[in-house]
Amino acid sequence: MRSALALALMLSVALPAPAADGFKLTIHYLTREYPQPLPLSLRLERAEDEGLMGARLANEENQLTGRFLGQEYELVEHILPLDAPFPDAGLAAIEGGARFVVADLEADDLLALAQHPEAADDVLLSTRAHDDRLRLVDCRANVWHVAPSWAMKADGLAQYLAWKRWDEWFLVHGKTPDDVAYAEALERAAAKFGAEIVERRDYAFEAGSRRVESGHQQIQTQMPSMTQGAPDHDVVVVADAAEAFGEYLLYRTFDARPVVGTHGLVSDAWHPAFEQFGSMSLHSAFEKLAERPITSRDYVNWLAVKTVAEPAVRLKTTDPDAITAEFLNPEFKQPGFKGIGLNFRSWNQQMRQPLLIAWARAMVSMSPQDGFLHERHTLDSLGLDRSDSECRLNQGE
């Protein structure tokens, strides 16, 4: 009798709850086959599924929760060729009524999709575009920014440099729109936190090939020449989002100075060496699924999928209006393994989050740094504040 009772109790815990009537939350993952920079060496592989695997892991976690709550979660993946007409191809892929879309899209594609009339009722969670203009003059009511902006990244780095009292910056940037946008964000950050950019210089050379016998020698002579003659400075700050030359600066600058920015010491949403706040469970689960370390883009896509599911589970609803209303609830706290609940700024729908300061193999710090306060929310010391933004999407914090 006792064993039969024990078996019944075990089954009651192990078996999932019966399905709730009509509860099915579908999240679309949408991206394009954007060209990726070549890795530093043929021996280094670049993940072809970066971003996507983060979304898949989050969906697996949602499904596990759903089985015990009688809720169904689905991730529908759309990876479009770069030559597919956009946004029409994207809209055709995600057709079917008001939708949640994890938009792993570059800025122009995200904006084209967001402002199309057929996407007006969609909830687009942006995970790739860092452009500040999407949080300013080009903000859209159906876009929620999970990826940190260039301004947030620049401020996170600037706070750490201010804490170190490395106040004189030599800024070197590339020529792509993202390079220039990050350079401008770094200039704002310098002014905001009391640093001085002693010189701003663009990269005018063609980087030598590391895959031919003369490549390393060309780089070894080119980088000192390119950085020679700058006024006294504490750090070389590089803005090379396109990964054309930034990696070459390390250990090759004319003056012996640390390299920070997009290379060297970076400010980002995540890092594979981060171990605090229970994050090892995320690393372990991801590596089991993807058979590689998690990247910042994987993390942001994981976070986007989890951010939709968090209010859906608690409110027991899949209604987009109810879920986005919860995004704006001052009490909304999205877990993200960063020691603090994450939420959205009301005026431009940017997710607040601490940023990790790290180099390739190790964590260095986390921003906001101690002592950098804000009148409303400490995390608002990172990025453009309400007073800096023309965007006014919602009332509240």
Side-chain angles (χ1 to χ4, degrees):
M1 181 71 175
R2 185 174 298 172
S3 61
L5 178 60
L7 178 60
L9 288 172
M10 288 174 60
L11 288 174
S12 68
V13 172
L15 292 176
D21 291 340
F23 189 107
K24 180 178 180 180
L25 180 61
T26 298
I27 301 174
H28 296 263
Y29 171 85
L30 178 63
T31 191
R32 304 182 72 184
E33 293 176 337
Y34 297 110
Q36 298 294 319
L38 291 173
L40 290 176
S41 167
L42 289 173
R43 296 184 60 83
L44 299 175
E45 295 183 6
R46 184 175 296 276
E48 297 295 330
D49 53 8
E50 189 178 9
L52 173 60
M53 295 307 291
R56 284 182 179 174
L57 175 62
N59 187 61
E60 286 192 2
E61 295 173 353
N62 292 344
Q63 289 174 333
L64 182 61
T65 300
R67 281 198 291 270
F68 289 93
L69 297 177
Q71 301 172 350
E72 184 178 354
Y73 293 87
E74 178 186 35
L75 180 71
V76 183
E77 303 168 6
H78 313 279
I79 303 175
L80 305 180
L82 191 60
D83 59 359
F86 205 85
D88 294 342
L91 290 164
I94 60 176
E95 64 181 349
R99 299 145 290 206
F100 296 97
V101 182
V102 174
D104 193 349
L105 299 170
E106 293 183 352
D108 289 343
D109 288 338
L110 175 67
L111 190 59
L113 179 64
Q115 62 193 12
H116 196 285
E118 291 184 23
D121 294 328
D122 293 341
V123 180
L124 308 177
L125 293 102
S126 173
T127 58
R128 184 190 286 248
H130 305 292
D131 302 54
D132 290 312
R133 64 185 174 92
L134 297 176
R135 286 86 169 164
L136 298 171
V137 294
D138 286 334
C139 65
R140 296 293 184 271
N142 54 350
V143 177
W144 301 80
H145 299 281
V146 184
S149 65
W150 288 129
M152 291 173 66
K153 289 188 169 192
D155 287 357
L157 182 64
Q159 286 190 14
Y160 178 73
L161 297 181
W163 183 83
K164 288 290 293 179
R165 298 185 180 179
W166 292 344
D167 299 328
E168 295 184 334
W169 303 358
F170 172 27
L171 175 59
V172 182
H173 65 87
K175 298 180 179 179
T176 71
D178 278 346
D179 297 341
V180 174
Y182 190 36
E184 291 173 351
L186 287 163
E187 285 192 324
R188 286 194 300 267
K192 182 176 179 180
F193 295 107
E196 178 187 1
I197 295 179
V198 299
E199 184 177 345
R200 175 172 169 169
R201 191 177 294 183
D202 66 350
Y203 181 77
F205 299 91
E206 289 296 328
S209 173
R210 292 156 292 183
R211 296 179 178 174
V212 298
E213 291 182 1
S214 62
H216 284 289
Q217 183 61 35
Q218 180 183 350
I219 294 163
Q220 185 171 329
T221 57
Q222 186 184 102
M223 292 301 147
S225 175
M226 192 269 289
T227 55
Q228 186 175 8
D232 289 343
H233 53 280
D234 297 312
V235 291
V236 176
V237 184
V238 56
D240 174 31
E243 298 186 30
F245 68 94
E247 200 74 45
Y248 303 140
L249 284 170
L250 279 74
Y251 311 108
R252 295 187 178 98
T253 55
F254 186 83
D255 296 306
R257 296 292 184 271
V259 174
V260 305
T262 53
H263 296 78
L265 189 70
V266 304
S267 169
D268 214 339
W270 197 253
H271 192 275
F274 186 58
E275 299 177 346
Q276 294 177 278
F277 307 117
S279 60
M280 288 304 297
S281 63
L282 177 61
H283 289 289
S284 297
F286 184 88
E287 289 170 13
K288 182 178 179 180
L289 175 67
E291 299 182 343
R292 61 173 177 81
I294 189 171
T295 68
S296 184
R297 199 168 127 227
D298 291 316
Y299 170 79
V300 172
N301 280 278
W302 171 86
L303 183 59
V305 174
K306 298 295 286 187
T307 297
V308 176
E310 174 71 16
V313 169
R314 283 190 296 101
L315 301 177
K316 299 180 175 61
T317 183
T318 61
D319 178 57
D321 291 337
I323 289 175
T324 53
E326 188 65 10
F327 288 170
L328 295 171
N329 183 344
E331 302 302 315
F332 176 69
K333 305 294 181 190
Q334 173 59 43
F337 294 106
K338 291 188 174 180
I340 185 173
L342 315 181
N343 62 9
F344 288 97
R345 294 170 180 154
S346 63
W347 64 90
N348 63 1
Q349 299 178 173
Q350 167 69 60
M351 177 171 275
R352 297 179 172 102
Q353 56 180 302
L355 295 181
L356 310 186
I357 311 301
W359 64 283
R361 294 176 61 86
M363 280 288 300
V364 173
S365 186
M366 177 184 283
S367 289
Q369 300 291 314
D370 290 343
F372 289 87
L373 305 177
H374 190 274
E375 59 184 349
R376 291 185 304 275
H377 200 297
T378 302
L379 290 176
D380 284 347
S381 67
L382 301 179
L384 298 168
D385 205 353
R386 181 199 300 269
S387 59
D388 303 314
S389 176
E390 306 94 308
C391 187
R392 291 289 186 275
L393 293 176
N394 308 285
Q395 299 295 320
E397 296 293 308

